[in-house]
Amino acid sequence: MNRLLSAFFITGAILLLIGAAVYITHWVYAPYVYTVGATLVALAQVNTPYKGTNRNIRRLRRQQLFGAFLLVITGGFMILTEDNEWILCLSVAALLQVYTAFRIPQEEKKEKEG
């Protein structure tokens, strides 16, 4: 199961990046490619739960899941709006994803050591 989730995450991340990068060319299917990628990334993150009791990691996981939700919402903005409102949503989602990607392993390391 872990390999499947890793494959979902990697495939989703590649599609997400391609969709966002190609959007500026006004390719009709770019928002849909992005949305499929964002959905795969969100599914991978939702299906890897934290079963521990560390409050900091639980908080960071909630932030990570909120960031994944914002990635999917960004796809909706790309499809439904004609301006660039989606960029703000994507920026917040990316900030949350990057922050939690660094902080969760730090907290897990602290938990193992102490």
Side-chain angles (χ1 to χ4, degrees), residues 3-111:
R3 282 185 153 166
L4 181 63
L5 291 177
S6 294
F8 271 17
F9 187 82
I10 291 168
T11 305
I14 291 169
L15 289 173
L16 189 142
L17 182 62
I18 290 171
V22 175
Y23 185 81
I24 61 172
T25 66
H26 300 290
W27 184 45
V28 176
Y29 298 110
Y32 302 102
V33 170
Y34 172 88
T35 305
V36 168
T39 303
L40 288 174
V41 167
L43 283 173
Q45 289 183 345
V46 166
N47 287 312
T48 54
Y50 174 68
K51 295 181 176 147
T53 57
N54 187 324
R55 296 178 80 195
N56 287 333
I57 296 176
R58 286 184 172 276
R59 176 185 53 85
L60 289 166
R61 279 287 297 152
R62 282 193 302 270
Q63 290 176 357
Q64 186 180 46
L65 294 176
F66 183 67
F69 175 70
L70 287 177
L71 287 174
V72 176
I73 295 299
T74 299
F77 278 137
M78 289 172 88
I79 293 169
L80 298 175
T81 62
E82 299 198 12
D83 291 329
N84 292 330
E85 292 89 1
W86 62 273
I87 294 173
L88 177 63
C89 191
L90 178 62
S91 298
V92 173
L95 183 69
L96 286 171
Q97 292 292 324
V98 169
Y99 176 71
T100 58
F102 285 103
R103 289 286 296 136
I104 289 174
Q106 286 176 349
E107 288 295 324
E108 288 174 341
K109 184 178 176 184
K110 273 194 230 177
E111 187 176 42

